[in-house]
Coordinates of all heavy atoms in Angstrom, one line a residue:
D34 N -87.9 -54.1 39.8 CA -86.7 -53.7 39.2 C -86.0 -55.2 38.9 O -85.9 -55.9 39.6 CB -85.8 -53.1 40.2 CG -86.3 -51.6 40.5 OD1 -86.9 -51.0 39.6 OD2 -86.1 -51.1 41.6
K35 N -85.5 -55.1 37.5 CA -84.7 -56.2 37.1 C -83.5 -55.6 36.3 O -83.5 -54.5 35.9 CB -85.5 -57.1 36.1 CG -86.8 -57.6 36.8 CD -87.6 -58.2 35.8 CE -89.1 -58.6 36.4 NZ -89.9 -59.3 35.3
Y36 N -82.4 -56.3 36.2 CA -81.2 -55.9 35.6 C -80.7 -56.9 34.6 O -80.8 -58.2 34.7 CB -80.2 -55.6 36.7 CG -80.6 -54.5 37.7 CD1 -81.0 -54.9 39.0 CD2 -80.5 -53.1 37.3 CE1 -81.3 -54.1 39.9 CE2 -80.9 -52.2 38.3 CZ -81.3 -52.6 39.5 OH -81.7 -51.7 40.4
I37 N -79.9 -56.2 33.6 CA -79.2 -57.1 32.8 C -77.7 -56.8 33.1 O -77.3 -55.5 33.1 CB -79.4 -56.7 31.2 CG1 -80.7 -57.0 30.8 CG2 -78.4 -57.4 30.4 CD1 -81.3 -58.4 31.2
C38 N -76.8 -57.7 33.3 CA -75.3 -57.6 33.5 C -74.6 -58.3 32.3 O -74.8 -59.3 32.1 CB -74.9 -58.0 34.7 SG -75.6 -57.0 36.2
G39 N -73.8 -57.5 31.6 CA -72.9 -58.0 30.6 C -71.5 -58.1 31.3 O -71.0 -57.1 31.7
N40 N -71.1 -59.4 31.3 CA -69.8 -59.7 32.0 C -68.6 -59.8 31.0 O -68.6 -60.8 30.3 CB -70.0 -60.9 32.9 CG -68.6 -61.4 33.6 OD1 -67.7 -60.5 33.5 ND2 -68.5 -62.6 34.0
A41 N -67.9 -58.7 30.8 CA -66.7 -58.7 29.9 C -65.5 -59.0 30.7 O -64.3 -58.7 30.2 CB -66.6 -57.3 29.2
D42 N -65.6 -59.6 31.8 CA -64.4 -60.0 32.5 C -64.6 -61.4 33.2 O -64.6 -61.6 34.5 CB -64.0 -59.0 33.8 CG -62.6 -59.2 34.4 OD1 -61.8 -60.0 33.8 OD2 -62.5 -58.8 35.6
A43 N -64.8 -62.2 32.4 CA -65.2 -63.7 32.9 C -64.0 -64.5 33.2 O -64.2 -65.5 33.8 CB -65.9 -64.5 31.7
G44 N -62.8 -64.0 33.1 CA -61.6 -64.7 33.6 C -61.3 -65.9 32.8 O -60.6 -66.8 33.2
S45 N -61.9 -66.0 31.5 CA -61.7 -67.2 30.6 C -60.9 -66.8 29.4 O -60.6 -65.6 29.3 CB -63.1 -67.7 30.2 OG -63.6 -66.8 29.3
A46 N -60.4 -67.8 28.8 CA -59.5 -67.5 27.6 C -60.4 -66.8 26.5 O -59.7 -65.9 25.9 CB -59.1 -68.9 27.0
T47 N -61.6 -66.9 26.5 CA -62.4 -66.1 25.5 C -62.5 -64.7 25.9 O -62.9 -63.8 25.0 CB -63.9 -66.8 25.4 OG1 -64.6 -66.7 26.5 CG2 -63.7 -68.1 24.8
S48 N -62.4 -64.3 27.2 CA -62.6 -62.9 27.5 C -61.6 -62.0 26.9 O -61.9 -60.8 26.6 CB -62.6 -62.7 29.1 OG -61.3 -63.1 29.6
V49 N -60.4 -62.4 26.6 CA -59.4 -61.6 26.0 C -59.9 -61.3 24.5 O -59.8 -60.2 24.0 CB -58.0 -62.3 25.8 CG1 -57.0 -61.5 25.1 CG2 -57.6 -62.5 27.3
A50 N -60.4 -62.3 23.8 CA -61.1 -62.1 22.5 C -62.2 -61.1 22.5 O -62.4 -60.4 21.6 CB -61.4 -63.4 21.8
D51 N -63.1 -61.2 23.7 CA -64.1 -60.4 23.8 C -63.8 -58.9 23.7 O -64.7 -58.1 23.1 CB -64.8 -60.6 25.0 CG -65.4 -61.9 25.3 OD1 -65.6 -62.7 24.2 OD2 -65.7 -62.3 26.4
H52 N -62.6 -58.6 24.2 CA -62.3 -57.1 24.2 C -62.1 -56.6 22.9 O -62.5 -55.5 22.6 CB -61.0 -57.0 25.1 CG -61.4 -57.2 26.5 ND1 -62.3 -56.5 27.4 CD2 -60.9 -58.2 27.2 CE1 -62.3 -57.1 28.5 NE2 -61.5 -58.1 28.5
G53 N -61.5 -57.3 21.9 CA -61.4 -56.9 20.6 C -62.7 -56.7 19.8 O -62.9 -55.8 19.1
V54 N -63.6 -57.6 20.1 CA -65.1 -57.4 19.6 C -65.7 -56.1 20.1 O -66.3 -55.4 19.6 CB -65.9 -58.6 19.9 CG1 -67.3 -58.4 19.4 CG2 -65.3 -59.9 19.2
L55 N -65.3 -56.0 21.5 CA -65.9 -54.7 22.1 C -65.5 -53.4 21.4 O -66.2 -52.5 21.3 CB -65.7 -54.7 23.6 CG -66.2 -55.7 24.4 CD1 -65.8 -55.6 25.9 CD2 -67.7 -55.6 24.4
E56 N -64.3 -53.5 21.0 CA -63.5 -52.3 20.4 C -64.0 -52.1 19.0 O -64.2 -51.1 18.4 CB -62.1 -52.4 20.4 CG -61.6 -52.3 21.8 CD -60.1 -52.6 21.9 OE1 -59.4 -52.6 20.8 OE2 -59.5 -52.9 23.0
R57 N -64.3 -53.3 18.2 CA -64.8 -53.3 16.8 C -66.3 -53.1 16.6 O -66.7 -52.5 15.6 CB -64.4 -54.5 16.2 CG -62.9 -54.5 15.9 CD -62.5 -55.7 15.0 NE -63.2 -57.1 15.4 CZ -62.7 -57.8 16.3 NH1 -61.5 -57.6 16.9 NH2 -63.3 -59.0 16.5
D58 N -67.1 -53.6 17.5 CA -68.5 -53.7 17.4 C -69.3 -53.4 18.6 O -70.1 -54.2 19.1 CB -69.0 -54.9 16.7 CG -70.3 -54.9 16.0 OD1 -70.9 -53.9 15.9 OD2 -70.7 -56.0 15.5
P59 N -69.0 -52.3 19.3 CA -69.7 -52.0 20.6 C -71.3 -51.9 20.4 O -72.0 -52.2 21.4 CB -69.1 -50.7 21.1 CG -68.7 -50.0 19.8 CD -68.3 -51.2 18.8
F60 N -71.7 -51.5 19.3 CA -73.2 -51.3 19.3 C -73.9 -52.5 19.1 O -75.1 -52.5 19.6 CB -73.5 -50.3 17.9 CG -72.9 -49.0 18.0 CD1 -71.8 -48.7 17.3 CD2 -73.6 -48.1 19.0 CE1 -71.3 -47.3 17.5 CE2 -73.0 -46.8 19.2 CZ -71.9 -46.4 18.3
R61 N -73.4 -53.6 18.6 CA -74.1 -54.9 18.6 C -74.2 -55.4 20.1 O -75.3 -55.8 20.3 CB -73.3 -55.9 17.8 CG -74.0 -57.3 17.7 CD -73.5 -58.2 16.6 NE -72.1 -58.3 16.5 CZ -71.4 -59.5 16.6 NH1 -72.1 -60.6 16.6 NH2 -70.1 -59.7 16.6
L62 N -73.2 -55.2 20.8 CA -73.3 -55.5 22.3 C -74.4 -54.8 23.0 O -75.3 -55.3 23.7 CB -71.9 -55.3 23.1 CG -72.0 -55.5 24.5 CD1 -72.4 -56.9 24.9 CD2 -70.8 -55.0 25.2
L63 N -74.5 -53.5 22.7 CA -75.5 -52.6 23.4 C -76.8 -53.1 22.9 O -77.9 -53.1 23.6 CB -75.2 -51.1 23.0 CG -74.0 -50.6 23.6 CD1 -73.8 -49.1 23.2 CD2 -74.0 -50.6 25.1
E64 N -77.0 -53.4 21.5 CA -78.2 -54.0 21.1 C -78.7 -55.2 21.8 O -79.8 -55.4 22.1 CB -78.2 -54.0 19.5 CG -79.4 -54.6 18.9 CD -79.3 -54.8 17.4 OE1 -78.2 -54.7 16.8 OE2 -80.3 -55.1 16.8
G65 N -77.6 -56.2 21.8 CA -78.0 -57.4 22.6 C -78.4 -57.1 24.0 O -79.4 -57.8 24.5
M66 N -77.8 -56.1 24.7 CA -78.4 -55.8 26.1 C -79.8 -55.3 26.0 O -80.5 -55.5 26.9 CB -77.3 -54.9 26.7 CG -76.0 -55.5 27.1 SD -74.8 -54.5 27.9 CE -75.4 -54.5 29.6
V67 N -80.0 -54.2 25.1 CA -81.3 -53.8 25.0 C -82.5 -54.9 24.8 O -83.4 -54.8 25.4 CB -81.5 -52.7 24.0 CG1 -82.8 -52.2 23.7 CG2 -80.5 -51.4 24.4
I68 N -82.0 -55.6 23.8 CA -83.0 -56.9 23.7 C -83.3 -57.7 24.7 O -84.4 -58.0 25.1 CB -82.5 -57.6 22.4 CG1 -82.5 -56.8 21.1 CG2 -83.4 -58.9 22.3 CD1 -81.7 -57.3 19.9
A69 N -82.2 -57.9 25.6 CA -82.3 -58.8 26.7 C -83.2 -58.0 27.7 O -84.0 -58.7 28.3 CB -81.0 -59.1 27.2
G70 N -82.8 -56.7 27.9 CA -83.7 -56.1 28.8 C -85.2 -55.9 28.5 O -86.1 -56.2 29.4
Y71 N -85.4 -55.8 27.2 CA -86.8 -55.9 26.7 C -87.5 -57.1 27.0 O -88.6 -57.3 27.5 CB -86.9 -55.4 25.3 CG -88.4 -55.4 24.8 CD1 -89.1 -54.1 25.0 CD2 -88.9 -56.3 24.1 CE1 -90.3 -54.0 24.4 CE2 -90.2 -56.4 23.6 CZ -90.8 -55.1 23.8 OH -92.2 -55.0 23.3
A72 N -86.8 -58.2 26.7 CA -87.2 -59.7 26.8 C -87.5 -59.9 28.3 O -88.5 -60.8 28.5 CB -86.3 -60.6 26.3
V73 N -86.9 -59.4 29.3 CA -87.1 -59.9 30.6 C -87.9 -58.7 31.5 O -88.1 -58.8 32.7 CB -85.8 -60.3 31.4 CG1 -85.2 -61.5 30.6 CG2 -84.8 -59.1 31.6
G74 N -87.9 -57.6 30.9 CA -88.5 -56.5 31.7 C -87.6 -55.6 32.5 O -88.0 -55.1 33.4
A75 N -86.4 -55.6 32.1 CA -85.4 -54.8 32.8 C -85.2 -53.5 32.0 O -85.4 -53.3 30.9 CB -84.0 -55.5 32.8
H76 N -84.8 -52.3 32.8 CA -84.7 -51.1 32.4 C -83.2 -50.5 32.5 O -83.0 -49.5 32.0 CB -85.7 -50.1 32.9 CG -87.1 -50.6 32.6 ND1 -87.7 -50.5 31.4 CD2 -88.1 -51.1 33.3 CE1 -89.0 -50.9 31.5 NE2 -89.1 -51.3 32.6
V77 N -82.4 -51.3 33.1 CA -81.2 -50.9 33.3 C -80.2 -51.9 33.2 O -80.5 -53.2 33.5 CB -80.9 -50.4 34.8 CG1 -79.4 -49.9 35.0 CG2 -81.8 -49.3 35.2
G78 N -79.1 -51.8 32.4 CA -78.0 -52.7 32.2 C -76.7 -52.2 32.7 O -76.5 -51.0 32.6
Y79 N -75.9 -53.1 33.2 CA -74.6 -52.8 33.6 C -73.6 -53.6 32.8 O -73.8 -54.8 32.7 CB -74.3 -53.1 35.1 CG -75.0 -52.1 36.0 CD1 -76.3 -52.5 36.5 CD2 -74.5 -50.9 36.4 CE1 -77.0 -51.7 37.4 CE2 -75.3 -50.0 37.1 CZ -76.4 -50.5 37.6 OH -77.1 -49.7 38.6

Side-chain angles (χ1 to χ4, degrees):
D34 294 323
K35 303 171 187 178
Y36 298 100
I37 302 295
C38 289
N40 180 15
D42 187 22
S45 68
T47 60
S48 66
V49 174
D51 295 346
H52 298 294
V54 175
L55 294 177
E56 293 171 15
R57 289 187 313 275
D58 199 359
F60 296 107
R61 185 165 51 129
L62 171 65
L63 295 176
E64 182 181 6
M66 291 182 74
V67 171
I68 292 167
Y71 185 81
V73 305
H76 298 285
V77 178
Y79 290 96

